Amino acid sequence: MPKDGEGSSSAFVEVEFENQTLRTQVKYKDLNPVWNEKLVFHVDDVADLPYRTVEVIVYNERKSGNGRNFLGKIRITGSSIVKEGEEIAQIYTLDKRSLFSHVRGEISLKLYLTTKEVSTEQKQNQKKQKKMFQQQQKQQMNMNSSSSMFPLTQQQQKQMVQKIQQQHQQQNNQQNQIQQQQGKPIESNGGEMKPVVITTGPGSGINHTPNPVPLGSAHGGGGNGFHGFNEFSLKETSPHLGGGAMHKDKTSSTYDLVEQMQYLYVKVVRARDIPIMGEVTAEVKLGNYRGFTKRHGSGHPEWDQVFAFSKDCIQSSVVEIFVKEKDKDDFLGRVWFDLSEVPKRVPPDSQLAPQWYRMEDKKGDKLKGGELMASVWFGTQADEAFAEAWHSNMHFDGLSSIKSKVYLSPKLWYLRVSVIEAQDLVPGEKGSGMMRFPEIMAKVQVGNQVLRTRVASATANRSPSHPFWNEDMMFVVSEPFEDYLMVSIEDRLAPGRDEVLGRILLPVAAIERRLDNKPVISKWFSLDMHYNNESKVSNRFGSRIHLRVSLDGGYHVLDESMMYSSDARPTAKQLWKPHVGVLEMGILGASGLMPMKIKEGKGSTTDAYCIAKYGQKWVRTRTVVDSLAPKWNEQYTWEVFDPCTVVTVGVFDNCHLDKNITVGAGVRDCRIGKVRIRLSTLESDRVYTHAYPLLILHPSGVKKMGELHLAIRFSCANMANVLHMYMSPQLPKMHYVQPLSVSQVESLRYQATNVVAARLSRAEPPLGREVVEYMLDHDSHMWSMRRSKSNFFRLVSVLSGVISMGRSLEAIRSWQKPVYSVLFLLLFLVLVFCPELILPTVLLYLSILGIWRFKSRPRHPPHMDIRLSHAETVYPDELDEEFDTFPTSRSAEMVRMRYDRLRSVAGRIQTVVGDLATQGERFQALLSWRDPRATFLYVVLCFIAAIGFYVVPFQVVVALWVLYEFRPPKFRNSLPSPALSFFRRLPSRADSLL
């Protein structure tokens, strides 16, 4: 597109890859430039290349090198880069940088990976280009770029990366050392440095339809670690669910959404007539696998323990049970079973009854005394003994943190405290002799939650001993109510120095509960006087405080983000409605997990387990030790009260398996990734079997940590009840009758998360705080440049439908296709003169459009999208900022640079918001007489138009106006219309801004 004001452009291309920026020469006064230049970039890690992008931007160089204009850009993923010898010229259409960019044209490129060394001449050229870029970058820092939402971000990031590159390198080295010490995943380079070669070809001025490679497409492939973006997409799987039970009736199998796993169960119950009275234990041996019971110190020990051996790891034809004395290798007796004779059990058959067996000695002879009660059978994970059994892959004795468990979130309540007023307060000893006006406030505390009222203002009708506040405060408490509500009256003597004038303690369990918005009766409470370090002073002066306290059960206490809420029921059970469906989930397994730790003698490995959360029910699968492709095959069920809810499944690495580590010793389970599924996107009674990518954002960029295999089914008995839910409010009635502010909701959600995390950390095995916070999106409110970009482009995508409709109307108005223009005008005239057909026609069109789109409906559940999240194009400094602590722990120079970048982004947002406000103020100025001449003209025109509309039918006016606007282009004037010119001349309040 011409950008120099003279009908031409002086174009050059700037290419950026991994903080390396090179540019071509300038082709002056040429709208079809040809460069044929080779730009070489170094690739540190070839395996990481598919997750990186190449950004190609075309600029117009202004006269005398004074800045540049944006001509278009493309962004190419590393997955589309092929090996040398396979490259072909690809034609790409230049994209806009923002919604308001004006771009036209195409560019042809060749991209390929080579292992050839860079020549000395090319190195010198690169150094020259780098110096040119740095000089131009300094000039650009003080200039405005073309209209983009984030125009200065990339430039400031490039500067920042150059300044703090050494600092980042030191941080990465320190981080790698820490990861090696903590056993976290270590990211290694993919061998030697390899350059990516980008060759720029001629800009295409030919009017044909190109076939550009779309962002995220898999192009090329092969070895060297190349993977397409389909690696980040959803994959449909075909597991053998329930051993074929998915084709049977649902009631025939409880585990019809998982693959059957065969186990050999050995139950050791007790022994009798043991010849010694010391501590004895039973050892179960199957090939190389050994399991031990607890020690028992009597002649008739009772163990009652079950051992489970996976059928895949059976390496022997017999299973043996030895009874041994404490710390001795010799056994007192032995019982063995031939596996070919072991029976099979299929639930709901009753359990196999244990029997007494005479034990043998070392020679195989039966002992005269000594018997063992045991039972052996083959079964599946549906067996009742599976959950509490010792498993062959545990390698640990009595370690509960690897078994599957079900947790329940505590029932949360909102505690509302209204501090109204106080009476007959007496100044304390510290403030009684000071000539000053007391600054009285009330402090309310429940557990670790503390809130304060404002300082009571002085009025003519109230003395300092009778302060008045009338403020509401909200807290989160959980059942069972063990905390106390403490309200204290304090006098602020100086900043940081408060003196307690009196306080009360109320047990939360004794507070009145309400289910609706009916007001609770307020009460006066006597205050205990101020405290000293030894004892409490009695209330001799009758100081009182007026409170209104209630437990509000009509609200739903939000402990997770409303966007991903899994439950919206009120706290009080009396207000619950019957469930409308059932969610069944089979957690099958995972594949391709990244190694998360290094174990001595075992190398890099992962001890993975899953957490699934829906409503109040959390489930935790067992931990599969030392496996990068764990198989869980565990099935769980939830009742569904609202189909428009989300179930969240997370995968973690268990870091508590070291015997030397105690719970609470600062060890945190590592995140591997999570999956969210909205139930309303699932068809009823259909089984979805997919492999979901596990994506996580590291300080080095987005990483695929593996794939999670799930089987999901949402069933509803009555479809009418489900459809009725769509007509009901999403939250309980109290949220609309007595709404909470946005700041209150965020503060209470933070408190609720802390309460849930504290309660689940006291379970056995405990759920760590890091697990709970990750599942509840605890840090979703934190600032992130990446999230801001993502939300902005989501908004642009929403507006693109309106823009495309406007383009279609403009195409009809410009008479590019006269047949369509004539048909549109005929349809419009029919609707104008038959207005009763407008609404039915629109509704019929929407119905037909919906039916037409049924065939292209989504067939898979939604999943994490790295392109929508802008995770594949995020810059290193943006990632460093996102993973920074709050408050920041970075250097002052880095914080200053980020603050300047934030100011630049906020400045663009400020400009857009100001422009929208200006247009609205111009509408207001039509009748405000701010511009008396303009208002006079508008009033006169409105009066004339009123007479005209009274005389001429409205349909005729509209028809004539549209016909005038849609007249052929040769009958039009290129100048703005008088109405638009009049509107642009109206004043706004921007004139009054400083």
Side-chain angles (χ1 to χ4, degrees):
M1 177 173 285
K3 286 285 186 176
D4 60 358
E6 300 176 358
S8 186
S9 290
S10 300
F12 68 92
V13 180
E14 189 174 281
V15 185
E16 181 179 353
F17 174 76
E18 286 290 293
N19 303 322
Q20 308 170 53
T21 305
L22 299 175
R23 54 173 287 180
T24 66
Q25 297 178 355
V26 180
K27 296 297 181 180
Y28 294 97
K29 300 291 183 180
D30 190 354
L31 293 179
N32 297 285
V34 178
W35 292 283
N36 282 324
E37 294 187 32
K38 182 181 294 185
L39 307 180
V40 182
F41 299 83
H42 286 286
V43 181
D44 294 334
D45 188 357
V46 176
D48 214 25
L49 183 60
Y51 314 126
R52 298 292 175 254
T53 58
V54 179
E55 193 168 72
V56 182
I57 309 177
V58 185
Y59 291 104
N60 164 63
E61 188 176 73
R62 297 178 184 172
K63 294 180 180 180
S64 304
N66 187 18
R68 53 188 179 178
N69 300 104
F70 178 75
L71 292 177
K73 72 169 185 177
I74 61 170
R75 183 174 288 166
I76 306 169
T77 62
S79 59
S80 62
I81 302 176
V82 298
K83 293 181 290 186
E84 186 177 12
E86 301 176 1
E87 71 275 8
I88 58 174
Q90 293 282 343
I91 299 176
Y92 300 87
T93 302
L94 293 175
D95 296 329
K96 296 181 178 182
R97 186 161 53 181
S98 73
L99 182 64
F100 308 104
S101 300
H102 298 284
V103 167
R104 185 178 71 217
E106 299 164 351
I107 186 171
S108 62
L109 302 172
K110 285 184 180 180
L111 295 91
Y112 57 93
L113 188 80
T114 179
T115 56
K116 295 180 181 178
E117 294 184 356
V118 182
S119 64
T120 306
E121 182 179 357
Q122 289 177 341
K123 290 180 180 179
Q124 293 176 353
N125 291 336
Q126 289 183 11
K127 290 181 180 179
K128 291 180 181 179
Q129 292 178 356
K130 189 173 182 180
K131 290 181 180 179
M132 290 172 58
F133 171 74
Q134 291 176 348
Q135 293 174 357
Q136 186 171 1
Q137 192 178 35
K138 291 179 181 178
Q139 297 175 357
Q140 283 292 107
M141 287 298 293
N142 298 324
M143 299 181 60
N144 292 330
S145 60
S146 57
S147 56
S148 172
M149 184 62 185
F150 304 97
L152 298 182
T153 301
Q154 298 178 4
Q155 298 171 5
Q156 290 186 349
Q157 286 165 349
K158 294 169 186 174
Q159 262 197 347
M160 187 181 301
V161 169
Q162 292 173 1
K163 288 184 178 180
I164 62 174
Q165 187 174 9
Q166 186 175 1
Q167 183 176 355
H168 273 301
Q169 185 65 34
Q170 294 174 356
Q171 292 176 354
N172 291 336
N173 293 337
Q174 294 175 359
Q175 185 178 2
N176 289 339
Q177 294 176 1
I178 294 174
Q179 288 177 347
Q180 290 179 358
Q181 295 172 0
Q182 296 181 351
K184 293 184 178 180
I186 302 173
E187 300 174 4
S188 59
N189 292 335
E192 58 179 340
M193 300 270 289
K194 298 185 179 182
V196 166
V197 180
I198 298 180
T199 305
T200 54
S204 176
I206 307 172
N207 187 15
H208 65 91
T209 304
N211 295 310
V213 179
L215 177 65
S217 63
H219 198 72
N224 299 329
F226 284 96
H227 302 283
F229 262 82
N230 57 353
E231 292 295 323
F232 295 96
S233 61
L234 203 64
K235 299 178 181 177
E236 192 165 4
T237 59
S238 300
H240 194 58
L241 299 182
M246 65 178 296
H247 301 292
K248 303 176 184 178
D249 185 65
K250 293 181 187 178
T251 58
S252 64
S253 176
T254 310
Y255 283 71
D256 62 332
L257 290 183
V258 293
E259 295 180 317
Q260 283 191 0
M261 301 176 67
Q262 299 292 329
Y263 286 90
L264 172 66
Y265 291 95
V266 180
K267 184 174 183 179
V268 183
V269 183
R270 63 174 66 93
R272 65 185 179 187
D273 299 333
I274 302 296
I276 63 171
M277 298 300 295
E279 290 186 347
V280 293
T281 182
E283 175 190 347
V284 180
K285 179 182 178 183
L286 178 65
N288 296 327
Y289 294 95
R290 298 171 183 264
F292 295 88
T293 64
K294 298 177 182 178
R295 294 173 180 173
H296 202 283
S298 68
H300 301 278
E302 293 190 9
W303 298 291
D304 198 20
Q305 285 187 237
V306 180
F307 299 82
F309 299 89
S310 175
K311 194 173 183 180
D312 298 334
C313 64
I314 293 179
Q315 302 171 347
S316 175
S317 59
V318 295
V319 57
E320 301 172 285
I321 305 176
F322 300 93
V323 177
K324 295 184 176 181
E325 190 177 356
K326 175 184 176 182
D327 300 329
K328 290 188 178 180
D329 295 333
D330 294 339
F331 59 85
L332 302 175
R334 182 187 75 156
V335 174
W336 63 275
F337 301 89
D338 189 347
L339 297 186
S340 61
E341 303 295 331
V342 172
K344 292 183 180 181
R345 180 196 173 224
V346 179
D349 291 349
S350 300
Q351 293 187 9
L352 189 66
Q355 300 181 29
W356 287 104
Y357 297 92
R358 290 183 61 186
M359 293 187 291
E360 300 176 350
D361 57 13
K362 295 181 181 179
K363 298 179 180 179
D365 300 331
K366 298 292 183 181
L367 297 176
K368 295 182 180 179
E371 293 181 315
L372 179 70
M373 178 180 284
S375 58
V376 183
W377 72 95
F378 280 109
T380 65
Q381 74 270 32
D383 202 293
E384 294 88 344
F386 178 80
E388 298 299 328
W390 177 95
H391 290 269
S392 55
N393 58 353
M394 283 187 177
H395 312 300
F396 303 97
D397 292 334
L399 191 61
S400 62
S401 64
I402 62 177
K403 295 183 178 180
S404 57
K405 293 292 179 182
V406 175
Y407 306 84
L408 290 178
S409 294
K411 182 185 287 188
L412 303 178
W413 290 73
Y414 280 149
L415 172 61
R416 185 187 296 272
V417 181
S418 299
V419 183
I420 303 174
E421 58 182 330
Q423 286 183 354
D424 301 327
L425 296 180
V426 180
E429 297 176 358
K430 298 180 181 179
S432 59
M434 303 174 61
M435 298 300 295
R436 65 179 186 87
F437 192 88
E439 298 181 8
I440 309 261
M441 69 180 70
K443 183 179 79 172
V444 185
Q445 181 173 356
V446 180
N448 297 326
Q449 308 170 48
V450 180
L451 293 177
R452 287 180 169 86
T453 65
R454 69 184 186 279
V455 175
S457 58
T459 62
N461 299 327
R462 288 188 173 270
S463 65
S465 62
H466 293 73
F468 181 82
W469 298 283
N470 196 22
E471 291 188 26
D472 277 0
M473 301 179 184
M474 300 285 287
F475 300 89
V476 176
V477 294
S478 63
E479 292 184 357
F481 301 121
E482 300 172 348
D483 294 326
Y484 283 83
L485 169 66
M486 184 183 72
V487 183
S488 59
I489 307 299
E490 298 179 350
D491 182 10
R492 176 163 294 175
L493 304 177
R497 290 182 58 202
D498 299 328
E499 183 181 12
V500 179
L501 304 183
R503 66 178 64 171
I504 61 168
L505 284 176
L506 299 176
V508 176
I511 295 176
E512 180 181 351
R513 307 182 187 186
R514 68 169 186 169
L515 307 182
D516 49 26
N517 61 330
K518 293 181 180 179
V520 176
I521 300 175
S522 60
K523 297 180 181 179
W524 287 92
F525 297 90
S526 297
L527 288 171
D528 294 328
M529 299 305 291
H530 60 276
Y531 284 48
N532 53 32
N533 294 331
E534 297 179 0
S535 61
K536 179 177 67 177
V537 179
S538 62
N539 184 358
R540 295 174 295 175
F541 301 97
S543 300
R544 300 189 303 168
I545 187 170
H546 194 191
L547 300 176
R548 183 184 297 111
V549 187
S550 64
L551 287 167
D552 290 355
Y555 291 96
H556 169 71
V557 181
L558 291 169
D559 59 344
E560 52 195 348
S561 175
M562 190 59 203
M563 291 187 299
Y564 313 125
S565 177
S566 61
D567 189 12
R569 290 174 294 169
T571 302
K573 282 189 175 181
Q574 297 92 319
L575 302 177
W576 288 6
K577 298 179 181 179
H579 67 276
V580 297
V582 174
L583 170 65
E584 300 168 275
M585 175 182 292
I587 305 177
L588 305 180
S591 61
L593 294 183
M594 294 285 289
M596 302 297 291
K597 60 170 72 79
I598 298 177
K599 290 186 178 179
E600 186 177 354
K602 297 181 180 179
S604 301
T605 185
T606 298
D607 305 320
Y609 68 91
C610 272
I611 297 289
K613 196 265 182 191
Y614 186 78
Q616 288 186 309
K617 182 178 177 181
W618 301 60
V619 299
R620 171 177 180 157
T621 67
R622 69 187 186 281
T623 300
V624 178
V625 183
D626 299 336
S627 176
L628 299 180
K631 297 291 184 182
W632 294 291
N633 284 305
E634 299 182 21
Q635 185 169 336
Y636 299 95
T637 304
W638 291 269
E639 290 182 340
V640 177
F641 294 86
D642 190 341
C644 301
T645 46
V646 177
V647 59
T648 305
V649 187
V651 185
F652 300 86
D653 176 57
N654 196 332
C655 296
H656 293 83
L657 300 186
D658 190 347
K659 296 182 179 179
N660 299 322
I661 295 177
T662 58
V663 177
V667 179
R668 297 167 62 90
D669 290 348
C670 298
R671 307 171 179 177
I672 298 180
K674 66 181 174 184
V675 174
R676 298 191 196 98
I677 302 172
R678 187 170 294 274
L679 303 191
S680 59
T681 62
L682 306 177
E683 298 177 9
S684 298
D685 298 320
R686 175 186 169 185
V687 178
Y688 290 83
T689 55
H690 291 89
Y692 297 81
L694 294 173
L695 307 176
I696 198 167
L697 201 62
H698 283 290
S700 59
V702 64
K703 298 291 183 183
K704 180 179 178 182
M705 307 296 289
E707 293 180 343
L708 177 64
H709 298 257
L710 299 175
I712 301 174
R713 177 172 58 212
F714 171 53
S715 306
C716 53
N718 191 336
M719 183 58 68
N721 292 338
V722 176
L723 297 179
H724 180 262
M725 290 300 301
Y726 282 86
M727 308 298 175
S728 304
Q730 191 172 10
L731 290 171
K733 181 180 178 180
M734 280 291 290
H735 286 270
Y736 306 98
V737 176
Q738 198 169 351
L740 304 174
S741 65
V742 176
S743 59
Q744 268 186 313
V745 170
E746 285 299 321
S747 174
L748 293 172
R749 189 169 85 88
Y750 177 78
Q751 296 176 14
T753 302
N754 290 336
V755 172
V756 173
R759 182 64 62 85
L760 295 182
S761 64
R762 296 165 56 186
E764 182 59 36
L767 273 186
R769 174 174 289 271
E770 70 279 4
V771 175
V772 176
E773 291 181 352
Y774 182 58
M775 295 292 290
L776 296 180
D777 292 298
H778 182 61
D779 56 351
S780 60
H781 64 285
M782 297 297 291
W783 157 262
S784 167
M785 180 70 76
R786 176 186 60 83
R787 291 195 188 103
S788 300
K789 286 182 181 178
S790 176
N791 291 334
F792 170 74
F793 287 107
R794 284 172 59 199
L795 178 61
V796 171
S797 176
V798 170
L799 296 177
S800 62
V802 180
I803 296 172
S804 62
M805 186 181 300
R807 288 176 179 173
S808 301
L809 289 176
E810 183 61 29
I812 294 174
R813 183 172 176 268
S814 60
W815 291 75
Q816 295 178 1
K817 296 181 179 180
V819 176
Y820 290 171
S821 299
V822 172
L823 291 175
F824 173 81
L825 291 176
L826 291 176
L827 177 62
F828 172 77
L829 291 176
V830 170
L831 295 178
V832 166
F833 291 100
C834 300
E836 66 276 5
L837 297 178
I838 295 178
L839 188 59
T841 302
V842 172
L843 296 177
L844 179 62
Y845 170 75
L846 294 177
S847 300
I848 295 175
L849 182 63
I851 295 173
W852 176 261
R853 290 186 176 181
F854 177 77
K855 62 180 181 180
S856 59
R857 68 190 184 280
R859 302 295 297 173
H860 307 298
H863 65 287
M864 303 290 187
D865 191 340
I866 62 170
R867 284 183 289 175
L868 181 65
S869 306
H870 279 249
E872 87 285 9
T873 59
V874 66
Y875 287 88
D877 181 67
E878 293 178 1
L879 284 171
D880 184 71
E881 180 183 26
E882 188 167 345
F883 282 90
D884 192 7
T885 57
F886 184 84
T888 182
S889 59
R890 299 296 183 258
S891 63
E893 181 184 3
M894 190 182 301
V895 174
R896 185 181 300 110
M897 186 72 79
R898 289 174 180 171
Y899 175 66
D900 291 338
R901 178 181 64 190
L902 184 60
R903 290 172 62 193
S904 69
V905 175
R908 296 304 179 272
I909 298 175
Q910 167 185 291
T911 302
V912 173
V913 173
D915 291 342
L916 295 175
T918 296
Q919 309 309 321
E921 290 168 354
R922 285 173 176 167
F923 276 106
Q924 293 177 347
L926 288 171
L927 294 174
S928 67
W929 292 92
R930 178 74 175 175
D931 185 341
R933 300 169 189 83
T935 304
F936 173 76
L937 285 174
Y938 182 70
V939 170
V940 172
L941 289 174
C942 287
F943 182 74
I944 296 174
I947 297 176
F949 282 123
Y950 183 77
V951 175
V952 182
F954 178 75
Q955 295 96 324
V956 176
V957 176
V958 175
L960 292 177
W961 176 73
V962 172
L963 290 175
Y964 174 77
E965 287 294 326
F966 280 79
R967 66 193 185 279
K970 65 179 180 178
F971 298 113
R972 296 181 197 165
N973 191 349
S974 59
L975 297 177
S977 65
L980 183 59
S981 300
F982 174 77
F983 181 76
R984 288 176 177 174
R985 291 177 178 275
L986 291 171
S988 70
R989 301 183 65 184
D991 305 334
S992 302
L993 294 176
L994 291 176

